[in-house]
């Protein structure tokens, strides 16, 4: 044994039983180790001072379960520690650097001071001695061999092993076990277990287990490191080979590097475009920047994307307009049946452009219920003019950056929808359809409707500024076609910039022809069938329209025909031989019960039919008034009426009461009557200034106890009996025709709206025009002869 190991072996003979304690939070220390400690001077200086004043250089190192030694208590300290001799103390920047030589294990018997500086009575644990058994030798050899396997995997262990061999011999298994434990990255609890195990053989068993775990971990780390290095080596090799290949190709003139190739590509694109002076200067600036940037840098990719957008826009590229009015008429008639007034307005619009020699600075707004063909009309207009067509929806758009683009400072910035549309169309004068412009929104991200003003204003869009491009681009050659279901939600300044064309919907005869010419052949073709394999005669088609697709458009009708075709195909595949004929008897098998039924003819005193406009088209509106009781006087409204309609009801009630004597109503009727006025379909909200005349007529019919004839009416009423004009006359006339009402009362000021309705819709309908309510009164209970049309 060496001299130092002999000193350790007999240390218990000279070591004191009362020592100062220093709690350690990181890991325990073992006999035979030289330990450098770094401690907080403010906290532990009193302990070291007390040791120095006691003429001792010994201190007990005890592991604590707490994470911070400064905050620990005696309850958190383990009972077994290591006594050490202090060799050197040095203070730097408030930290104590202490070198301690660990000597002997001890067990705490009793705490003399439970607060810093800690003092305890200890009992030293004698190290095993005597002749080494075969098992101990075998474990010692296994520990040494495991350490040897660890050395190539962790070269840092070589210095520690050399330090151990310089001080102790490998034939000392106790110190070997303690030293091996310090080499591992085991948890402090596992190392403390080794420290507390005094018997040599169990201690060596634990140490060998810890070393085996450390070896497995080191091998896994080495495997990962080798895999990463192998991958990196392959990448580096490939990179150097590619760089060499590029240099060789450049020397031979075979190819160019990425930067040069990009710059040449953009210059080739520029040569084909008629860029503005501003755009040319900007492109040159960006190309100069691109020439000095590294292709691997993020700024290079940003600049490259910007140049891609600029050089792919159709600067100065325009398609030739087809200025043939006969061709335009042919395309519109081919794609759309009916809508003669709409097609006439579009032809007038095109004729002005043809007369000028160019169609420029134009915005069309197609307004009508869903399914009447707004989008398809826009496509037909683009085809008639031989222009590229691009469509996008504004419904629900809340970010103005969708219109004017994002600034390039943002990650993932892109131009707005209009610049994207021009890039896709490839011309500077496409037809761009803005669908659902009435459903555009606003949020904290901006107001897209306001951003559209610059796009749709002919005075501004010649110099449209997209935030991403930050360049002026000419949109004045673009034809904008917008669609909407209603005008109410479109901001006034935006609406003022557009040419409004109303599409009111189709009557049954129109739908019949559309189904025959367009919808049914399309569904048969899409199902892979031949013409004539499915037969639907005119009476059945008319019933489909009236019972299953009565709304203003033809979208529902198209879906019902698709349903019929699908079921017919199933029958054919199950063995039925074509043609499959749809009859009145089997129609229900294909479409189920009727979706629409004939509106119930409400009759009797106090019941009058009104006409209403909705975003889905026109509708008839029954209004009922009843005398509830005579306990008190009053007036009640039901039917989910809006504020405007409630005011109309109050005005109608006031008008009829104030003119009761003139109308021949018994004086005591309103004095003692509680009247309830109701608009059926109470689950449906209703509002609008067009039911005043109807409500007054219902109250008058109730008071006189006379039923009103089969006549429908619309118009707003004042307290003095004046009948004011209302909107949606065409939709209301179509709704009356749809339910079989052939006599109407309209405001006299709407006579022009009536005359604009196509003749085939007006045919068979008798209209009376009213200026005041005195014109309405003679028409309610007997056939009117005045003001007829």
């Amino acid at each position: 044994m060496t001299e130092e190991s002999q000193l350790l072996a007999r240390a218990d003979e000279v070591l004191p039983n009362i020592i100062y304690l220093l709690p350690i939070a990181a890991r325990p220390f073992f006999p035979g180790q030289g330990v450098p400690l770094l401690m907080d001077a403010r906290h532990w200086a009193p302990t070291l001072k007390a040791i120095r004043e006691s003429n001792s250089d010994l201190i007990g190192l005890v592991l604590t379960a707490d994470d911070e030694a400064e905050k620990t208590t005696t309850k958190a300290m383990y009972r077994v520690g290591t006594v050490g001799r202090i060799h050197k103390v040095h203070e730097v920047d408030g930290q104590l650097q202490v070198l301690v030589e660990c000597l002997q294990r001890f067990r705490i018997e009793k705490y003399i001071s439970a607060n810093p500086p800690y003092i305890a009575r200890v009992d030293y644990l004698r190290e095993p001695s005597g002749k080494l058994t075969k098992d101990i030798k075998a474990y010692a050899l296994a520990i040494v061999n495991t350490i040897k396997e660890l050395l190539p995997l962790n070269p840092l262990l070589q210095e520690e092993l050399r330090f151990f061999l310089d001080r102790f011999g490998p034939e000392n298994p106790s110190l070997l076990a303690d030293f091996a434990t310090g080499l591992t990255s085991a948890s402090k609890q596992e190392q403390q277990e080794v420290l507390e195990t005094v018997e040599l053989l169990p201690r060596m068993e634990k140490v060998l287990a810890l070393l085996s775990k450390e070896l497995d971990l080191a091998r896994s780390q080495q495997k990962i490191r080798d895999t990463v290095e192998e991958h990196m080596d392959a990448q580096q090799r490939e990179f150097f080979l590619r760089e060499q290949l590029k240099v060789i190709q450049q020397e031979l003139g075979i190819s160019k590097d990425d930067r040069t190739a990009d710059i040449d590509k953009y210059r080739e694109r520029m040569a084909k475009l008629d860029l503005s002076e501003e755009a040319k200067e900007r492109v040159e600036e960006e190309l100069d920047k691109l020439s000095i940037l590294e292709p691997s840098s993020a700024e290079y990719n940003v600049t490259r994307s910007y140049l891609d957008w600029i050089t792919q826009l159709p600067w100065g590229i325009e398609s030739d307009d087809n200025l043939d009015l006969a061709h335009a008429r042919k395309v519109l008639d081919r794609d759309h049946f009916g809508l003669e007034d709409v097609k006439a307005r579009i032809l007038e619009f095109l004729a002005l452009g043809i007369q000028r020699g160019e169609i420029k600075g134009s915005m069309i707004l197609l307004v009508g219920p869903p399914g009447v063909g707004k989008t398809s009309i826009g496509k037909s207009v683009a085809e008639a003019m031989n222009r590229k067509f691009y469509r996008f929806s504004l419904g629900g758009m809340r970010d103005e950056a969708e219109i004017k683009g994002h600034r390039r400072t943002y990650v993932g910035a892109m131009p707005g929808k209009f610049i994207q549309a021009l890039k896709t169309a490839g011309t500077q004068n496409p037809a761009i359809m803005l669908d659902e412009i009435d459903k555009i929104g606003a949020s904290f991200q901006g107001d897209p409707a306001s951003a559209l003003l610059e796009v749709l204003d002919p005075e501004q869009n010649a110099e449209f500024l997209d935030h991403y491009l930050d360049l002026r681009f000419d949109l004045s050659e673009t034809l904008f076609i917008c669609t909407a279901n209603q005008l109410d939600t479109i901001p006034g300044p935006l609406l003022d910039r557009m040419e409004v064309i109303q599409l009111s919907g189709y009557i049954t005869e129109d739908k019949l022809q559309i189904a025959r010419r367009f919808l049914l052949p399309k569904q048969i073709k899409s199902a892979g069938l031949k013409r004539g394999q499915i037969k639907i005669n005119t009476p059945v088609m008319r019933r489909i329209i009236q019972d299953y697709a009565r709304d203003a458009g033809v979208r529902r009708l198209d879906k019902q025909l698709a349903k019929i075709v699908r079921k017919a195909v199933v029958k054919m595949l199950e063995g039925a031989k074509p043609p499959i004929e749809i009859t009145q008897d089997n129609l229900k098998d294909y479409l189920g019960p009727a979706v629409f039924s004939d509106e119930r003819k409400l009759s009797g005193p106090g019941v009058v039919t009104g006409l209403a406009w909705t975003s889905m088209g026109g509708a008839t509106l029954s209004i009922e008034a009843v005398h509830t009781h005579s306990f008190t006087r009053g007036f009640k409204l039901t039917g989910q009426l809006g504020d405007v309609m409630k005011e109309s009801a109050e005005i109608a009630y006031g008008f009829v009461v104030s003119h009761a004597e003139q109308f021949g109503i018994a004086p005591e009727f309103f004095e003692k009557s509680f009247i309830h006025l109701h608009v059926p379909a109470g689950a449906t909200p209703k509002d609008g200034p067009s039911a005043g005349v109807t409500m007054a007529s219902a109250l008058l019919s109730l008071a006189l106890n006379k039923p009103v004839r089969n006549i429908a009416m619309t118009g707003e009423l004042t307290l003095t009996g004046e009948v004011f004009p209302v909107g949606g006359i065409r939709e209301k006339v179509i709704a009356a025709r749809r339910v079989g009402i052939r006599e109407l009362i309209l405001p006299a000021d709407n006579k022009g709206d009536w005359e604009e309705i196509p003749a085939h819709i007006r045919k068979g309908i008798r209209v009376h025009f009213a200026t005041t309510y005195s014109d309405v009164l003679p028409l309610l209970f007997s056939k009117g002869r005045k003001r007829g049309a």
Side-chain angles (χ1 to χ4, degrees):
M1 297 176 67
T2 66
E3 183 181 351
E4 291 187 56
S5 63
Q6 292 174 7
L7 288 173
L8 287 174
R10 59 176 186 271
D12 59 325
E13 300 173 6
V14 295
L15 297 178
N17 294 104
I18 297 176
I19 59 174
Y20 287 89
L21 300 181
L22 181 67
I24 305 297
R27 54 176 291 176
F29 296 107
F30 294 85
Q33 292 182 336
V35 182
L37 299 177
L38 188 65
M39 300 180 295
D40 180 26
R42 183 172 53 85
H43 200 86
W44 298 115
T47 299
L48 295 178
K49 182 180 179 182
I51 294 173
R52 188 168 56 250
E53 291 176 351
S54 66
N55 296 321
S56 173
D57 58 356
L58 297 177
I59 190 168
L61 303 178
V62 184
L63 182 69
T64 175
D66 292 328
D67 293 331
E68 296 183 30
E70 290 79 5
K71 297 181 180 180
T72 191
T73 62
T74 54
K75 293 182 179 179
M77 296 181 193
Y78 288 93
R79 308 294 291 183
V80 175
T82 305
V83 67
R85 178 173 289 113
I86 299 173
H87 283 280
K88 183 179 180 182
V89 179
H90 184 57
E91 184 175 351
V92 179
D93 296 333
Q95 296 287 322
L96 289 174
Q97 297 177 353
V98 183
L99 182 62
V100 178
E101 178 190 8
C102 298
L103 301 175
Q104 183 76 19
R105 285 176 170 82
F106 66 82
R107 178 179 284 105
I108 297 173
E109 297 296 331
K110 181 181 179 183
Y111 287 102
I112 297 174
S113 172
N115 296 309
Y118 300 105
I119 304 174
R121 182 183 300 278
V122 300
D123 182 24
Y124 293 98
L125 304 176
R126 184 181 297 275
E127 295 291 334
S129 59
K131 187 177 180 180
L132 303 181
T133 64
K134 291 182 179 180
D135 290 341
I136 292 176
K137 289 181 180 180
Y139 270 105
L141 185 61
I143 289 173
V144 171
N145 290 335
T146 306
I147 293 174
K148 287 181 180 179
E149 290 185 61
L150 270 174
L151 288 179
L153 301 176
N154 191 349
L156 296 177
L157 300 180
Q158 293 179 4
E159 289 297 323
E160 295 189 40
L161 181 61
R162 187 178 294 112
F163 176 77
F164 174 78
L165 294 177
D166 287 344
R167 299 184 64 202
F168 309 105
E171 67 281 356
N172 191 326
S174 178
L175 291 176
L176 176 64
D178 291 344
F179 165 75
T181 306
L183 297 180
T184 67
S185 58
S187 67
K188 66 180 184 180
Q189 290 82 4
E190 291 175 321
Q191 294 190 25
Q192 179 67 24
E193 287 182 16
V194 175
L195 182 66
E196 293 178 358
T197 306
V198 180
E199 291 187 37
L200 188 56
L201 193 59
R203 192 196 322 167
M204 297 180 78
E205 289 176 356
K206 291 179 180 180
V207 171
L208 187 59
L210 293 179
L211 280 173
S212 299
K213 286 171 62 177
E214 191 72 18
L215 182 61
D216 291 340
L217 179 62
R219 283 172 176 167
S220 298
Q221 291 176 340
Q222 183 64 35
K223 184 177 180 181
I224 294 171
R225 189 160 49 245
D226 292 343
T227 303
V228 172
E229 289 177 356
E230 181 181 350
H231 184 64
M232 291 297 294
D233 289 343
Q235 282 189 332
Q236 290 176 348
R237 180 172 178 274
E238 183 179 345
F239 171 76
F240 287 123
L241 288 174
R242 288 186 180 278
E243 291 300 312
Q244 291 173 357
L245 180 61
K246 285 180 184 178
V247 173
I248 294 170
Q249 289 176 334
Q250 289 172 19
E251 291 292 330
L252 296 175
I254 298 174
S255 70
K256 309 167 186 176
D257 62 11
D258 291 342
R259 186 192 297 119
T260 305
D262 285 339
I263 292 173
D264 290 347
K265 176 179 67 176
Y266 296 135
R267 293 199 180 278
E268 288 176 11
R269 289 181 184 175
M270 283 177 61
K272 301 175 184 178
L273 302 173
D274 183 16
L275 276 73
S276 64
E277 290 301 320
E278 181 189 15
K280 287 179 182 177
E281 292 177 8
R282 179 65 57 80
V283 170
E284 288 298 336
E285 290 174 5
E286 296 297 324
L287 286 175
D288 290 342
K289 185 194 297 185
L290 199 70
S291 64
I292 61 175
L293 290 172
E294 283 297 322
S296 58
S297 68
E299 184 67 19
Y300 183 91
N301 290 323
V302 171
T303 305
R304 188 171 180 272
S305 297
Y306 180 70
L307 287 168
D308 269 333
W309 274 104
I310 291 182
T311 56
Q312 289 187 68
L313 288 176
W315 299 88
I317 299 175
E318 296 182 2
S319 59
D320 295 329
D321 285 341
N322 187 340
L323 302 178
D324 184 352
L325 197 62
H327 171 72
R329 188 187 300 274
K330 182 178 179 181
V331 171
L332 290 172
D333 288 338
R334 180 197 68 193
D335 295 341
H336 300 87
F337 179 84
L339 303 178
E340 299 302 330
D341 54 337
V342 175
K343 289 189 281 189
R345 288 283 298 278
I346 291 174
L347 290 172
E348 291 168 7
F349 166 79
L350 296 177
L352 287 177
I354 293 170
Q355 182 64 29
R356 291 195 306 262
E358 61 176 359
I359 299 174
K360 182 177 180 180
S362 304
M363 279 71 66
I364 301 174
L365 174 60
L366 303 173
V367 182
V372 295
K374 300 184 294 296
T375 303
S376 60
I377 284 179
K379 291 180 181 178
S380 298
V381 171
E383 183 181 348
M385 297 173 60
N386 192 35
R387 289 199 175 190
K388 297 286 187 180
F389 181 77
Y390 185 91
R391 171 191 171 274
F392 66 90
S393 176
L394 295 172
M397 184 180 290
R398 294 180 177 271
D399 188 355
E400 69 175 23
E402 295 277 347
I403 304 295
K404 302 194 71 174
H406 304 82
R407 300 193 185 278
R408 275 201 291 163
T409 52
Y410 297 111
V411 176
M414 288 186 67
K417 289 285 189 182
F418 291 95
I419 296 299
Q420 295 179 37
L422 292 170
K423 176 189 172 185
T424 303
T427 65
Q428 199 168 337
N429 63 337
I432 298 180
M433 171 161 280
L434 311 179
D435 240 346
E436 313 291 354
I437 199 170
D438 57 327
K439 298 176 181 63
I440 196 166
S443 70
F444 66 92
Q445 295 167 313
D447 183 3
S450 298
L452 278 176
L453 294 177
E454 182 184 352
V455 178
L456 299 181
D457 191 339
E459 303 299 325
Q460 299 182 52
N461 62 13
E463 293 187 342
F464 173 68
L465 182 65
D466 184 272
H467 289 158
Y468 179 82
L469 294 182
D470 199 23
L471 291 171
R472 305 284 176 180
F473 197 92
D474 187 2
L475 297 181
S476 62
E477 303 291 335
T478 303
L479 172 63
F480 295 103
I481 306 171
C482 308
T483 71
N485 294 130
Q486 56 189 5
L487 298 176
D488 299 350
T489 55
I490 303 176
L494 189 59
L495 185 62
D496 186 54
R497 286 163 168 77
M498 296 183 283
E499 176 76 15
V500 179
I501 299 178
Q502 293 276 356
L503 287 81
S504 300
Y506 302 101
I507 61 174
T508 301
E509 297 305 320
D510 291 339
K511 288 184 177 180
L512 194 61
Q513 295 300 323
I514 291 170
R516 285 264 175 240
R517 298 185 187 187
F518 301 101
L519 303 183
L520 186 58
K522 181 190 75 173
Q523 293 296 341
I524 289 175
K525 183 179 179 181
S526 66
L529 301 177
K530 295 179 180 179
R531 192 169 185 177
Q533 288 188 297
I534 297 178
K535 290 186 177 181
I536 304 176
N537 59 32
T538 299
V540 174
M541 187 67 78
R542 191 183 300 274
R543 183 180 166 194
I544 293 172
I545 294 168
Q546 292 176 344
D547 290 357
Y548 297 90
R550 197 180 288 178
D551 40 358
V554 294
R555 189 169 292 149
R556 189 194 295 265
L557 176 58
D558 191 32
K559 291 179 180 178
Q560 299 295 353
L561 293 176
K563 190 174 181 180
I564 289 174
V565 170
R566 289 197 304 270
K567 290 184 179 293
V569 168
V570 171
K571 288 194 174 186
M572 289 181 191
L573 295 178
E574 289 177 346
K577 293 183 178 181
I580 303 295
E581 186 172 356
I582 314 301
T583 65
Q584 298 278 6
D585 296 332
N586 66 12
L587 179 61
K588 192 173 181 180
D589 297 335
Y590 289 88
L591 296 181
V595 177
F596 298 93
S597 58
D598 292 337
E599 295 189 15
R600 297 179 64 180
K601 302 295 184 184
L602 302 178
S603 60
V607 179
V608 179
T609 301
L611 298 174
W613 178 92
T614 70
S615 61
M616 301 292 290
T620 57
L621 203 65
S622 294
I623 294 178
E624 302 173 304
V626 296
H627 174 205
T628 307
H629 58 75
S630 300
F631 304 137
T632 183
R633 178 179 181 175
F635 184 56
K636 180 180 180 180
L637 296 171
T638 56
Q640 264 221 72
L641 308 182
D643 291 338
V644 177
M645 214 161 181
K646 288 178 181 177
E647 287 188 1
S648 295
E650 295 287 349
I651 291 169
Y653 181 75
F655 171 73
V656 174
V657 171
S658 64
H659 292 77
E661 185 176 350
Q662 179 184 338
F663 294 142
I665 300 172
E668 66 279 2
F669 180 78
F670 286 111
E671 292 179 6
K672 300 180 179 180
S673 298
F674 188 92
I675 296 173
H676 184 172
L677 190 144
H678 175 65
V679 183
T684 305
K686 310 166 194 72
D687 200 11
S690 62
V693 171
T694 313
M695 291 177 170
S697 300
L699 293 170
L700 184 59
S701 171
L702 175 67
L704 296 175
N705 196 27
K706 291 182 180 180
V708 175
R709 298 187 303 109
N710 187 24
I711 188 170
M713 61 196 72
T714 185
E716 186 57 11
L717 189 66
T718 70
L719 283 172
T720 57
E722 296 291 324
V723 177
F724 276 23
V726 294
I729 294 298
R730 174 170 175 163
E731 289 86 349
K732 294 174 180 179
V733 171
I734 291 175
R737 186 182 187 92
R738 191 183 300 133
V739 298
I741 297 177
R742 294 294 183 264
E743 193 170 357
L744 308 176
I745 300 175
L746 304 178
D749 291 336
N750 287 118
K751 190 170 184 180
D753 298 319
W754 162 258
E755 291 173 351
E756 287 184 1
I757 298 174
H760 71 283
I761 296 178
R762 292 185 294 168
K763 185 178 180 181
I765 295 180
R766 187 179 185 188
V767 176
H768 307 276
F769 294 103
T771 304
T772 65
Y773 194 77
S774 60
D775 299 325
V776 177
L777 183 59
L779 304 172
L780 297 178
F781 311 112
S782 62
K783 291 186 178 181
R785 301 181 184 276
K786 296 187 294 181
R787 295 180 179 269

